[in-house]
Amino acid sequence: MRRITRVESDRERSWRVCVRRYGQSVTKAFTDLCYGGKRKSLAAAKIYRNALEAHIATFDADHRLWRRAQKTRGNSSGTVGVARYLAASKKQGGMPAPYWQAFWLDAWGKRQRKNFRVGVHGERKAKRLAREAYAQGLAEAHAALQRNALLEQQIPRLGKEHEPLLFAAAFAAESLRP
């Protein structure tokens, strides 16, 4: 059961729903005592989780893009997705050819890349072109992710007795929005 865990201790018996986005987390507990037993509290937790996921799906593409654009410790170029490399020379004993490479993941998780040779464009222009290619590739991936999210979005259809859970899920999803 994704995002649902069982808590059994001396003080509490409950199902817990936990979702994390943008470094923040939302957690809600469904205690057996409040919901009238283990099965009923699990059913309520599932309804809450499904409603929360449906609301989160509206900005899930933004979250995926945010995660891809996080700068790592080993980044020396100063730009995520842009790096300078040296290509081996084609001539025996020749000098290596430097180039800037832009790389990103498309909407399907496949790595894409584009190279800009320093000998052709110059150092600054090659780096600038790589940055622009990275930004364009990320924008295309973001647009595709948003299209896919709209096609996959499913909002649960439940009765009036579940409205408080649906409202709570919508409120929690909004607190996770950037």
Side-chain angles (χ1 to χ4, degrees), residues 104 118 139 146 153:
W104 63 93
V118 172
Q146 282 186 324
Q153 185 177 6

Side-chain angles (χ1 to χ4, degrees), residues 107-138:
W108 297 272
K110 186 177 177 188
R111 185 181 168 120
Q112 302 293 324
R113 67 175 182 259
K114 202 164 187 182
N115 298 333
F116 300 94
R117 298 219 173 257
V118 172
V120 175
H121 302 288
E123 190 74 40
R124 287 184 181 164
K125 187 175 180 185
K127 186 175 183 180
R128 182 178 52 83
L129 289 171
R131 283 180 176 166
E132 290 171 2
Y134 171 76
Q136 181 183 357
L138 225 51

Side-chain angles (χ1 to χ4, degrees), residues 1 12-14 30 69 84 98 112 128 138 149 153 164:
M1 291 181 291
E12 176 184 12
R13 284 176 173 54
S14 66
F30 296 87
R84 186 177 189 270
Q112 302 293 324
R128 182 178 52 83
L138 225 51
Q153 185 177 6

